[in-house]
Amino acid sequence: MRRSCKVAVIGGGMSGLVAARELLRESHQITVFEKSHRVGGTWVYDPRVESDPLGLDPHRAKVHGSLYASLRTNLMRPLMGFSDYPFTGCDFGDTSELKFPRHEEVLHFLEAFAADSGLIGFVKFGAEVVKVKRTSPDDELSAPWMVKWVQADQENIEHFEAVVICNGHYSEPRLPQIPGIDRWPGKQVHSHNYRTPEPYLNQVIVIVGKGPSGFDISVDVANAAKEVHIASRSLRFKAGKIPGMENIFEHEVVSHVDPDGRVHFADGFSVLADIILYCTGYSYHFPFLEINNLTVDDNRVGPLYKHVFSPRYGPYLSFVGITSATIVFLTSELQSKWIAQVLSGKCTLPSENEMMSSVKEMYDEMEEAGKPKHRTHWLYDKMEGYLDWLAAETGLPQIERWWFHMFDALLKSFISFGHGFRDKLEKMPYSNLLNEVK
Ligand code: FAD
């Protein structure tokens, strides 16, 4: 028999919205808690920055969003939709629309998705969840969860059978340790607090990290800065000027910094810099979660069965969107379908012991392959197998292969064309792009 559960969904960003849709499709009773006053999460551009540009002060007034004004997606338009609700304008023909939409368009897409899926009435806006805990001893697995939230300065409590956590993981800066940094006199900022290039006019900037944000911000800030020096572990070009970019230089990692403002790189080069801009990623953070059986250790959230379920609490505590280096929207959609079906009884989970063994196996494999802990939730080469598995588990037809071909083509372009990958791909018909990876 199908069960209908009373479920709290924490967060009204992309993951919370698609989780809500899937839970409703399986006839669960849901409440979505969203601390801001609109849906969309990350995709709501917020021009404010935090008072502490490094995000170290735990008492700072927090800003959720990390978007910069010029941001365009790093995945192509067709990869930004859901399996049955494609991203607007995505017809695979050569349209005049950008292949990499601007952030405003993604927000419009999510707002339309929420409206068309009838989700808005299920969202409590301005409702920040401040505590989630069990109300009875841990061995009573059917015991309800207590969710406490603050709305208009009022504390409220309600009990739920299940909690789905979708609070995002791009708000809490992660910083490297740089020898000498305590006495370095310049300004330091994390990319969480980067919005526009203007404050960086004529400055010499060192960007630490060259993930998607480091990559894009270096180009954006170079419009105002005197020089931009990127320090990263993945040096693809020889240290020195990047071809075609007048004032951007690439180096190996920062080895140390001096009290006179000099920044030294492992390639032996050094520069007198005004600002260090850290594009070093984010930490998972669940300040409201009061349970014993889940930790965040060097950015490994665990134990989590297939990045979704807590083995201890089984179907009743789950996470959507923990994974990265993947086709993000599709991944959250499939994770959500799985959660909804496990809660209704359509799918079953293995025993707690079996789930723990699976988690341990993944950790062992990572260790053997020399992968650092903080990459636990990066999918990359595991993505296709993971998404196919979720689709099979939830009774969907096999995921159409173009999703993966397009993702592969994108990665290849990123490696071949470096900073110019969007410009190159904008000019290339989708069909050519897909042919290249076949
Ligand atoms: P979020 O969008 O962060 O939503 C979380 C929601 O939870 C927010 O609305 C927040 O207010 C709410 N919330 C948090 N805590 C609480 C609480 N205690 N109580 C109530 N509500 C709470 N993905 C792509 O697919 N393509 C891209 O090109 C891309 N570019 C990106 C660029 C940047 C700079 C960043 C930071 C991310 C990018 N991403 C991209 C990833 C992006 O995070 C996902 O696309 C998506 O927004 C994740 O959705 P989410 O719902 O998991 O998290």
Side-chain angles (χ1 to χ4, degrees), residues 11 13-15 34-35 41-43 64 73-74 80 127 129 168 170 329:
M14 179 275 293
S15 299
E34 171 49 55
K35 68 181 175 185
T42 288
W43 297 100
H64 183 80
T73 63
N74 48 36
M80 294 296 299
V129 171
Y170 294 102
F329 284 36

Side-chain angles (χ1 to χ4, degrees), residues 7 67 71 83 102 162 175 183 285 296 327 339 356 362 433:
V7 188
L67 291 191
L71 186 134
S83 67
R102 295 182 203 289
L175 294 167
R183 296 177 58 218
H285 193 51
V296 181
I327 305 168
I339 293 167
M356 284 304 295
M362 176 181 66
L433 187 79

Side-chain angles (χ1 to χ4, degrees), residues 10-17 33-36 38-43 64 66-68 71-75 79-80 110 127-130 166-171 213 282 287-288 320-321 326-329 332:
I10 301 177
M14 179 275 293
S15 299
L17 291 175
F33 294 93
E34 171 49 55
K35 68 181 175 185
S36 77
R38 59 194 293 187
V39 296
T42 288
W43 297 100
H64 183 80
S66 297
L67 291 191
Y68 29 95
L71 186 134
R72 285 169 62 196
T73 63
N74 48 36
L75 296 186
L79 299 177
M80 294 296 299
L110 288 174
E128 178 167 7
V129 171
V130 291
C166 312
N167 66 327
H169 52 94
Y170 294 102
S171 296
S213 295
Y282 295 87
F288 47 82
V320 181
T326 183
I327 305 168
V328 185
F329 284 36
S332 285

